[in-house]
Amino acid sequence: MSFTPFDIEVIQSKWEQQVEFNLVESGVHPLRLEELLGFPGGELEVGALLATELNYPHVNGIPALRENIARLYPVASGAAAGIDNVLVTVGASEANNIIMQALMEPGDELLTQTPTYMQLWGMALNTGHTVKTFGLQADAGWALDLEALHNGLSSHTKIIAVCNPNNPTGYIMTEAEMDAVVEAADRVGAWIVADEVYRGAERLREDETPSFYGRYGKVLCLGSLSKAYGLPGLRIGWITGPADAIEALWRRHEYTTVSATILSNKLAALALSPAVRPQLIQRTRDYVRKGFPVLEAWMQEQAGLFSYTPPQASAITFIRYHLDINSTQLMEQLCRETGVFVGAGDAFGMDHYLRIAFGQDKAVLEEAFARISRVLHQLQAA
């Protein structure tokens, strides 16, 4: 049986522990445990954490955590999310996995946005499903190709998958584009699976990116503590959706990981509490808003080597480079010769692009970019 590897995760598994500067990781610099416990207003004391009995937690997530997640999904018209609309998973990766198990049946098709995080795409191929795509348009500031969206629909479309804010471009859909996705799904009765893990990491706006939750009856929204919160090591994700769908996904969850850990549940509940979450979001935005000018200044110094659209959110941007070298080859050369790890566009189906993360301190970014420059100048002179 043929198997499609998950390319972006393959290269990260290979290189991320071998390099000095990891500019592939798409979140901001992670917090230390003492930082998380030290935020003003937090109700979790070190002593209480140390007194935690290392037992199983609620399999679907402790109530305090699910309540805090549900608060992230207010709905202007209709019912806001409640605790029964939330399932806690081991990262958004498990969420994607069990969604595919629960929804996709023989003959069903996946219609997915590209470029994107390619997990659903690969899982669909590996289970024998047809995958169709609709693109974000590089020559239009990464705007959604609505014609391709509608042309990709069929009576077999079971899932329309979107990532908003987008990985790897940092693009945020307009309200009109979100409405178009809902209209397309409604036309054929498809589910919308919305990866929203970068909500809160906005670069240019103070309000958070709107969610797809509540816009349509068949929506599953994914969140995570990894990207907009700087807590990837907790491995906490979640799905928010209709209560009956959440119940069905819970049954698949029991076959995969059973539960996240009790410590992760407690720390996640603290992170998403009304007192602490705004502080985490501000920390993330500070990294994003201070880091991008460093990246942009460096790109502008490279004399036409790069073309790019600045990201609206997230600590990553997707950059086209104008050199005659494959993106995976360039990525590997940079790892070997400079100790700097950037994402190859091949992992997103787009050669001659790099995904570069900038959610680090200025000194780290400047040293990493200086090292990259030396290799790029050598390639230009060759």
Side-chain angles (χ1 to χ4, degrees):
M1 180 177 177
S2 64
F3 179 78
T4 300
F6 194 178
D7 286 345
I8 188 65
E9 297 299 336
V10 170
I11 62 173
Q12 287 185 253
S13 296
K14 178 179 179 180
W15 288 105
E16 65 184 354
Q17 302 299 335
Q18 300 185 43
V19 295
E20 186 175 354
F21 297 99
N22 183 354
L23 302 188
V24 170
E25 170 50 50
S26 58
V28 298
H29 189 73
L31 281 89
R32 300 186 306 275
L33 178 57
E34 64 181 352
E35 291 179 279
L36 177 58
L37 293 175
F39 279 113
E43 297 180 355
L44 184 58
E45 301 279 342
V46 174
L49 186 65
L50 292 177
T52 300
E53 188 174 82
L54 298 179
N55 203 342
Y56 291 104
H58 295 71
V59 169
N60 58 340
I62 62 173
L65 174 55
R66 285 184 287 132
E67 288 169 2
N68 287 342
I69 292 170
R71 289 193 189 97
L72 306 180
Y73 300 91
V75 178
S77 59
I83 194 169
D84 292 334
N85 299 111
V86 177
L87 174 66
V88 174
T89 59
V90 179
S93 296
E94 188 205 356
N96 276 327
N97 192 310
I98 60 178
I99 285 171
M100 293 295 286
Q101 291 179 34
L103 296 187
M104 296 292 279
E105 299 177 346
D108 287 344
E109 297 177 354
L110 170 71
L111 178 58
T112 181
Q113 179 189 61
T114 57
T116 191
Y117 189 65
M118 302 288 278
Q119 186 183 11
L120 290 179
W121 175 86
M123 291 178 64
L125 291 179
N126 288 333
T127 49
H129 295 287
T130 297
V131 178
K132 297 179 180 179
T133 63
F134 60 101
L136 299 176
Q137 303 169 92
D139 58 355
W142 298 117
L144 199 65
D145 187 339
L146 298 179
E147 182 177 359
L149 167 64
H150 291 292
N151 288 343
L153 289 172
S154 80
S155 60
H156 299 289
T157 305
K158 177 59 75 70
I159 293 174
I160 299 176
V162 295
C163 181
N164 188 49
N166 178 254
N167 175 7
T169 68
Y171 178 74
I172 298 174
M173 287 187 198
T174 65
E175 286 287 336
E177 289 170 334
M178 295 179 76
D179 289 344
V181 171
V182 170
E183 187 277 329
D186 188 45
R187 187 192 309 176
V188 296
W191 283 85
I192 296 172
V193 175
D195 178 342
E196 299 177 342
V197 301
Y198 296 94
R199 283 183 71 209
E202 291 77 17
R203 186 174 70 88
L204 300 173
R205 56 196 282 179
E206 295 306 316
D207 59 317
E208 292 190 19
T209 302
S211 174
F212 272 92
Y213 184 82
R215 293 171 181 260
Y216 170 60
K218 299 172 72 173
V219 173
L220 297 171
C221 295
L222 278 63
S224 167
L225 289 184
S226 297
K227 307 307 179 185
Y229 298 92
L231 295 167
L234 293 184
R235 302 305 302 135
I236 289 289
W238 60 84
I239 309 168
T240 307
D244 57 348
I246 293 299
E247 183 80 16
L249 291 165
W250 185 355
R251 301 288 80 82
R252 274 73 178 179
H253 175 61
E254 290 158 343
Y255 265 112
T256 52
T257 61
V258 180
S259 73
T261 71
I262 183 61
L263 292 177
S264 290
N265 269 258
K266 285 195 169 187
L267 291 168
L270 170 68
L272 294 177
S273 65
V276 173
R277 181 179 183 270
Q279 298 175 77
L280 286 175
I281 292 297
Q282 189 59 55
R283 176 185 183 272
T284 293
R285 289 179 172 182
D286 286 345
Y287 268 111
V288 169
R289 294 169 183 182
K290 293 176 181 177
F292 184 72
V294 181
L295 171 61
E296 187 167 46
W298 171 72
M299 290 191 294
Q300 291 174 349
E301 292 170 357
Q302 306 309 308
L305 183 58
F306 298 118
S307 302
Y308 64 97
T309 297
Q312 298 173 35
S314 79
I316 49 176
T317 192
F318 205 44
I319 303 162
R320 181 169 178 80
Y321 62 88
H322 305 290
L323 289 170
D324 187 19
I325 182 173
N326 168 261
S327 64
T328 300
Q329 291 178 310
L330 178 56
M331 177 271 295
E332 291 179 341
Q333 184 174 349
L334 290 171
C335 286
R336 289 192 304 268
E337 297 182 13
T338 72
V340 180
F341 187 20
V342 298
D346 286 339
F348 301 92
M350 297 180 69
D351 193 11
H352 292 93
Y353 279 84
L354 296 174
R355 190 187 78 176
I356 298 182
F358 51 86
Q360 303 287 338
D361 292 330
K362 181 179 180 181
V364 171
L365 295 175
E366 289 181 336
E367 175 60 24
F369 296 152
R371 295 187 186 191
I372 295 173
S373 292
R374 291 195 287 271
V375 170
L376 296 180
H377 294 160
Q378 292 169 7
L379 291 171
Q380 284 179 300

